């Protein structure tokens, strides 16, 4: 996994609540047996109509917006456990997703793929949307070590929570398999004396 | 200290605790299917890590399988490859696979309980969010991502922070025509799609105590639709009777010993929950959804609420519904009875009981997709197939089918489908398809009438 310390970029707004993983990557694209290529189909049915024509007013197609930060409405990533959603967002080039609330499984999947979910207050989320509205070229800085997200050129900033263990993993590029394998002896001992 | 059902099962599975961090939780049973496992197998292979406990894994092919002519090679090339990959991965790693055509093949959350793989007090995971289904047995069961599938392959454990606890109590007697599906749709409509996020939910009260195991599975199945990673119901005699005698259930003395342990699992009186909700069974009616998430549900006698939120309006626009209107009399051309929520024998019995002697409306295509080969066999043996055939319903072969429309079972653009599945997301049942979630009884009645009706008017 890639290491993550700080990230500065423009952002793409997606001001819709309850974005589910079926929208992020529709089920018909889940037939691949590797992790590649999902980025091409991220938000497929919002980006393209059934004839395959780009939907011009959808923010990911709008030339006004660019960058590797996605700013999304409340309860982002609900629904299916498909990690393909995280692969699709990473494949498209996103490094950070900001929302006022994330669904559990999506959040874990994102963290396991070096995609940082940044949960902010509703008020700050609105400030982020307003900043893009005013100037689409606004830069946003996410500092994982300091656990802050700020709007460059303003004094607007907010801190965010992250599990300290997961933070260490992201900063160092470690994953859980390494940690679990280091506990093999404990696991085997547990199996011999299960309390149930 | 007084403990909840969840505490008892969780605490018994903690191998280790990371300082200021998550816990290492031991996983008893790991279920896998073709869609979310291949990348995990690849990862292990690339890192040269063996599968640690293959005998604790069971595999099935379900998400991406055809529901017609299963004896023939799968037509879609990508699907065929994905299924072949699963077979190959299971063979290489000595994992039991119930592949297409196997007498135990079926939807992962139907197959495992019916084989007795699911037992009270266990921890179970699967790369599928509806793994919460198995919580009906008093099991900690939850969906995981593919990275976590790889972690369980490698270590039979997961690194997790203990979720908070939530209890939903429903007391009273359900009205005629109100099924377990209506109970959970009602709960989600009251609590919303993210009220359970970060929590594990226990369902308690008369309503769940009186429910069959099939009904309990329907309820726990949809816990994820309110954001909860899992849902649980305390194991009782109903649970023990269901598990007893199944293929992989403990036998004789071993079973009795397990039952004695399972009886210690229910939540202690006075054990604390982080959040509690109470509902009256009498307030519940047959439910239908009108929007694009499972929280957007109403009682059949209610009208679509008025709400100015842009996401809400976008949702109604997609569904082509108007705020303030009733769903009764909405013409419907497609009906789907199936999915890990409602594809067990009881669901087909309820539908058949209503359908018997009637004919489906001419405009309706009605698909019945059993949850497993065993359910399919039961449908035939109990004579339900004849009832459905006479009524003009189409009984297909087992699989996830039109619940997520990964295979060819898709609802056409702009068409409504009254579906017993679990998600009404945009495009879930096919690009541009409009899903209305309901119980198997409401679905059967819709197929007969060709439109949504208030079933209680016929029953009372």
């Amino acid at each position: 996994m890639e290491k993550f310390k700080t990230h500065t970029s423009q952002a793409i707004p997606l001001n819709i609540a309850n974005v589910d993983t079926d929208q992020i990557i529709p089920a018909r694209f889940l037939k691949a047996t590797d992790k590649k290529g999902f980025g091409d189909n991220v938000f497929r049915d919002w980006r393209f109509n059934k004839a395959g024509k780009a939907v011009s007013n959808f923010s990911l197609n709008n030339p006004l917006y660019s960058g590797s930060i996605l700013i999304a409405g409340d309860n982002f990533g609900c629904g299916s456990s498909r990690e393909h959603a995280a692969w699709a967002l990473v494949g498209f080039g996103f490094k950070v997703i900001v929302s006022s609330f994330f669904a559990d499984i999506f959040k874990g999947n994102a963290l396991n793929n070096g995609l940082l979910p940044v949960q902010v207050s509703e008020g700050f989320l609105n400030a982020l949307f307003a900043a893009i509205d005013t100037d689409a070229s606004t830069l946003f800085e996410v500092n994982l070590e300091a656990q802050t997200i700020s709007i460059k050129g303003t004094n607007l900033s907010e801190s965010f929570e992250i599990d300290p263990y997961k933070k260490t993993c992201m900063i160092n590029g470690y994953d859980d398999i390494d940690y679990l394998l280091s506990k093999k002896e404990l696991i085997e001992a547990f199996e011999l004396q299960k309390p149930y | 200290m007084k403990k909840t059902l969840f505490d008892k099962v969780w605490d018994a599975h903690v191998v280790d605790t990371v300082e200021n961090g998550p816990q290492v939780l031991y996983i008893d049973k790991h279920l896998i299917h073709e869609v979310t496992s291949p990348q995990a197998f690849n990862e292990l292979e690339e890192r040269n890590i063996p599968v640690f406990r293959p005998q604790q894994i069971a595999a099935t092919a379900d998400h991406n399988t055809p529901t017609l002519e299963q004896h023939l090679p799968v037509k879609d090339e990508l699907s065929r490859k994905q299924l072949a990959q699963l077979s190959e991965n299971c063979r290489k790693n000595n994992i039991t696979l119930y592949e297409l055509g196997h007498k135990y093949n079926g939807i992962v959350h139907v197959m495992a309980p019916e084989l007795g793989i699911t037992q009270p007090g266990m921890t179970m995971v699967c790369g599928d969010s509806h793994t919460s289904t198995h919580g009906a047995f008093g099991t900690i069961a939850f969906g995981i991502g593919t990275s976590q599938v790889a972690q369980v392959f490698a270590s039979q454990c997961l690194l997790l922070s203990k979720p908070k606890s939530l209890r939903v109590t429903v007391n009273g007697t359900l009205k005629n025509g109100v099924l377990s599906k209506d109970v959970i749709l009602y709960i989600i409509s009251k609590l919303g799609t993210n009220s359970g996020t970060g929590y594990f939910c226990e369902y308690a009260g008369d309503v769940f105590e009186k429910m069959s195991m099939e009904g309990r599975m329907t309820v726990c199945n949809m816990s994820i639709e309110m954001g909860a990673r899992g849902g649980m119901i305390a194991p009782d005699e109903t649970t023990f009777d269901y598990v007893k005698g199944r293929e992989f259930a403990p036998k004789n003395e071993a079973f009795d010993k397990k039952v004695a342990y399972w009886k210690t699992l229910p939540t202690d009186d006075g054990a604390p929950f982080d959040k509690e909700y109470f509902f009256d069974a009498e307030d519940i009616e047959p439910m239908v959804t009108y929007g694009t998430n499972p929280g957007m549900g109403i009682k059949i006698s209610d009208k679509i609420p008025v709400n100015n939120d842009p996401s809400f309006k976008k949702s109604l626009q997609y569904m082509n519904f108007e705020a303030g209107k009733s769903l009764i009399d909405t013409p419907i051309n497609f009906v789907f009875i199936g999915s890990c929520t409602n594809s067990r024998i009881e669901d087909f019995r309820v539908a058949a009981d209503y359908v018997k002697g009637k004919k489906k409306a001419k405009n309706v295509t009605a698909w019945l997709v059993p949850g497993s080969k065993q359910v399919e066999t039961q449908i035939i043996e109990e004579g339900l197939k004849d009832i459905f055939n006479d009524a003009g319903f189409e009984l297909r072969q087992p699989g996830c089918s039109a619940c997520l429309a990964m295979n060819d079972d898709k609802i056409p653009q702009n068409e409504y489908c009254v579906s017993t599945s679990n998600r009404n997301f945009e495009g879930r049942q096919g690009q541009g398809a409009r899903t209305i979630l309901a119980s198997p009884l409401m679905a059967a009645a819709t197929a007969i009438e060709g439109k949504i009706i208030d079933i209680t008017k016929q029953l009372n």
Side-chain angles (χ1 to χ4, degrees):
Chain A
M1 207 168 74
E2 240 178 89
K3 294 178 184 178
F4 190 115
K5 286 194 169 71
T6 63
H7 186 72
T8 305
S9 165
Q10 284 172 230
I12 301 179
L14 183 63
N15 197 355
I16 300 170
N18 301 313
V19 173
D20 59 75
T21 53
D22 272 85
Q23 307 317 314
I24 301 173
I25 184 84
R28 65 184 186 280
F29 299 114
L30 307 187
K31 295 180 181 180
T33 53
D34 58 23
K35 297 181 187 177
K36 292 183 218 94
F38 291 107
D40 296 340
N41 293 314
V42 74
F43 296 112
R44 177 77 198 194
D45 295 340
W46 284 351
R47 275 166 68 208
F48 300 97
N49 67 16
K50 216 172 173 183
K53 198 170 162 278
V55 177
S56 58
N57 64 355
F58 183 60
S59 60
L60 270 76
N61 291 336
N62 188 335
L64 197 58
Y65 306 121
S66 67
S68 45
I69 298 175
L70 180 70
I71 300 181
D74 197 52
N75 197 27
F76 185 84
C78 57
S80 154
S81 64
R82 60 187 71 162
E83 196 159 315
H84 312 66
W87 301 333
L89 290 163
V90 170
F92 190 79
F94 289 115
K95 303 237 182 260
V96 175
I97 313 286
V98 185
S99 175
S100 49
F101 199 86
F102 289 96
D104 265 348
I105 307 180
F106 174 79
K107 193 178 187 176
N109 287 342
L111 287 164
N112 283 332
N113 286 280
L115 176 67
L116 185 67
V118 173
Q119 187 167 325
V120 297
S121 67
E122 222 169 283
F124 194 72
L125 186 71
N126 289 333
L128 295 173
F129 283 128
I132 303 176
D133 239 11
T134 314
D135 178 4
S137 67
T138 304
L139 290 172
F140 302 88
E141 185 187 77
V142 176
N143 185 327
L144 178 55
E145 271 170 334
Q147 295 180 220
T148 56
I149 172 165
S150 45
I151 306 174
K152 297 287 259 186
T154 72
N155 55 5
L156 292 174
S157 173
E158 192 170 86
S159 61
F160 62 88
E161 299 284 319
I162 181 169
D163 179 276
Y165 165 80
K166 274 293 171 197
K167 179 179 172 179
T168 312
C169 287
M170 288 279 286
I171 288 174
N172 297 299
Y174 298 157
D175 69 22
D176 289 357
I177 290 192
D178 300 326
Y179 185 88
L180 289 166
L181 287 176
S182 76
K183 296 286 168 187
K184 213 54 170 282
E185 277 177 29
L186 265 181
I187 296 167
E188 281 169 340
F190 176 88
E191 286 181 320
L192 295 174
Q193 299 192 323
K194 282 185 207 162
Y196 51 92
Chain B
M1 205 189 99
K2 290 179 167 140
K3 285 185 167 192
T4 64
L5 164 65
F6 176 76
D7 290 332
K8 291 180 194 181
V9 181
W10 179 280
D11 294 349
H13 288 81
V14 174
V15 174
D16 195 22
T17 302
V18 183
E19 210 185 316
N20 293 321
Q23 293 182 302
V24 177
L25 192 77
Y26 190 80
I27 304 301
D28 295 315
K29 287 284 180 321
H30 185 191
L31 307 172
I32 62 169
H33 61 83
E34 74 276 24
V35 176
T36 57
S37 68
Q39 292 87 350
F41 280 113
N42 293 348
E43 170 132 25
L44 255 68
E45 217 166 277
E46 280 160 22
R47 294 166 74 160
N48 205 15
I49 301 167
V51 173
F52 182 50
R53 294 289 180 247
Q55 70 280 16
Q56 283 167 248
I57 308 172
T60 187
D62 58 0
H63 280 63
N64 198 2
T65 53
T67 55
L68 291 174
E69 299 186 315
Q70 289 186 347
H71 62 289
L72 296 177
V74 175
K75 281 185 204 143
D76 180 85
E77 194 194 340
L78 284 175
S79 304
R80 194 169 64 242
K81 274 191 181 162
Q82 196 175 50
L83 292 164
Q85 182 92 55
L86 178 72
S87 303
E88 176 64 7
N89 283 331
C90 289
R91 192 191 55 75
K92 276 199 291 200
N93 293 287
N94 293 317
I95 293 166
T96 304
L97 166 66
Y98 305 117
E99 61 196 332
L100 206 55
H102 191 285
K103 66 174 178 175
Y104 292 158
N105 174 256
I107 304 177
V108 63
H109 312 308
V110 177
M111 167 281 282
E114 99 194 335
L115 289 177
I117 293 172
T118 307
Q119 293 165 27
M122 281 183 167
T123 48
M124 291 180 83
V125 294
C126 174
D128 186 283
S129 60
H130 293 110
T131 307
S132 57
T133 310
H134 308 267
F137 292 78
T139 304
I140 291 185
F142 53 92
I144 56 177
T146 298
S147 296
Q148 291 176 307
V149 172
Q151 291 159 27
V152 183
F153 280 162
S155 68
Q156 205 57 37
C157 287
L158 280 173
L159 274 163
L160 297 164
S161 298
K162 191 174 177 179
K164 287 185 271 189
S165 61
L166 157 69
R167 181 163 61 184
V168 175
T169 304
V170 188
N171 280 317
T173 305
L174 292 175
K175 287 182 194 160
N176 205 4
V178 175
L179 308 189
S180 55
K181 179 64 164 286
D182 300 306
V183 175
I184 188 63
L185 283 173
Y186 173 89
I187 293 170
I188 301 167
S189 77
K190 293 286 179 192
L191 302 183
T193 49
N194 64 7
S195 57
T197 307
Y199 292 82
F200 233 82
C201 177
E202 179 173 343
Y203 301 96
D206 310 339
V207 164
F208 305 107
E209 284 165 25
K210 283 183 256 177
M211 232 176 232
S212 67
M213 285 314 293
E214 280 92 343
R216 292 178 188 181
M217 283 189 254
T218 300
V219 169
C220 290
N221 173 276
M222 290 191 72
S223 303
I224 185 70
E225 310 311 338
M226 55 176 178
R229 201 74 184 264
M232 294 175 96
I233 293 173
D236 59 10
E237 292 301 326
T238 306
T239 323
F240 311 147
D241 288 347
Y242 181 96
V243 174
K244 195 173 185 174
R246 289 184 187 265
E247 176 98 22
F248 297 107
K251 304 281 173 333
N252 307 319
E253 271 172 46
F255 182 79
D256 297 338
K257 222 178 124 190
K258 278 288 183 191
V259 168
Y261 170 63
W262 295 340
K263 283 183 174 170
T264 68
L265 295 176
T267 295
D268 298 331
D269 280 341
F273 284 84
D274 295 304
K275 213 152 80 167
E276 287 224 58
Y277 297 100
F278 297 88
F279 298 106
D280 292 327
E282 285 78 8
D283 190 46
I284 308 176
E285 283 181 27
M287 299 289 294
V288 280
T289 61
Y290 58 85
T292 57
N293 72 58
M296 299 174 83
I298 47 172
K299 298 177 194 176
I300 188 63
S301 67
D302 276 352
K303 296 188 167 54
I304 298 172
V306 178
N307 186 328
N308 282 322
D309 176 74
S311 297
F312 184 91
K313 285 183 160 172
K314 179 180 184 293
S315 188
L316 283 199
Q317 195 186 359
Y318 179 87
M319 293 300 292
N320 197 26
F321 282 146
E322 265 177 71
K325 294 267 173 72
S326 160
L327 258 61
I328 294 173
D329 290 338
T330 306
I332 303 291
N333 295 331
F334 289 84
V335 168
F336 172 63
I337 302 183
S339 88
C340 58
T341 313
N342 281 122
S343 64
R344 297 177 182 83
I345 190 62
E346 217 174 68
D347 301 316
F348 293 103
R349 284 183 193 142
V350 167
D353 194 45
Y354 179 84
V355 164
K356 196 171 185 174
K358 300 186 179 89
K359 291 262 187 258
K360 74 164 182 70
K362 283 207 173 69
N363 59 309
V364 171
T365 300
W367 287 339
L368 305 161
V369 181
S372 69
K373 286 299 274 185
Q374 295 208 71
V375 173
E376 184 187 26
T377 307
Q378 260 176 303
I379 289 174
I380 296 166
E381 284 177 0
E382 293 185 14
L384 310 186
K385 186 180 177 176
D386 299 331
I387 295 173
F388 290 129
N389 278 347
D390 292 347
F393 287 50
E394 186 185 348
L395 178 66
R396 298 170 82 108
Q397 290 171 298
C400 298
S401 181
C403 171
L404 83 166
M406 241 192 113
N407 66 0
D408 292 337
D409 306 350
K410 297 182 202 305
I411 307 302
Q413 185 155 26
N414 297 338
E415 288 286 356
Y416 291 115
C417 177
V418 170
S419 175
T420 66
S421 54
N422 40 57
R423 289 190 173 133
N424 49 351
F425 297 153
E426 282 185 31
R428 172 82 178 180
Q429 298 195 286
Q431 269 180 282
R434 296 166 174 155
T435 302
I436 296 164
L437 302 175
S439 76
L441 178 60
M442 283 291 285
T446 304
I448 299 299
E449 302 290 339
K451 59 182 186 179
I452 295 176
I453 60 155
D454 182 352
I455 186 74
T456 59
K457 296 260 161 44
Q458 287 189 3
L459 299 174
N460 296 329

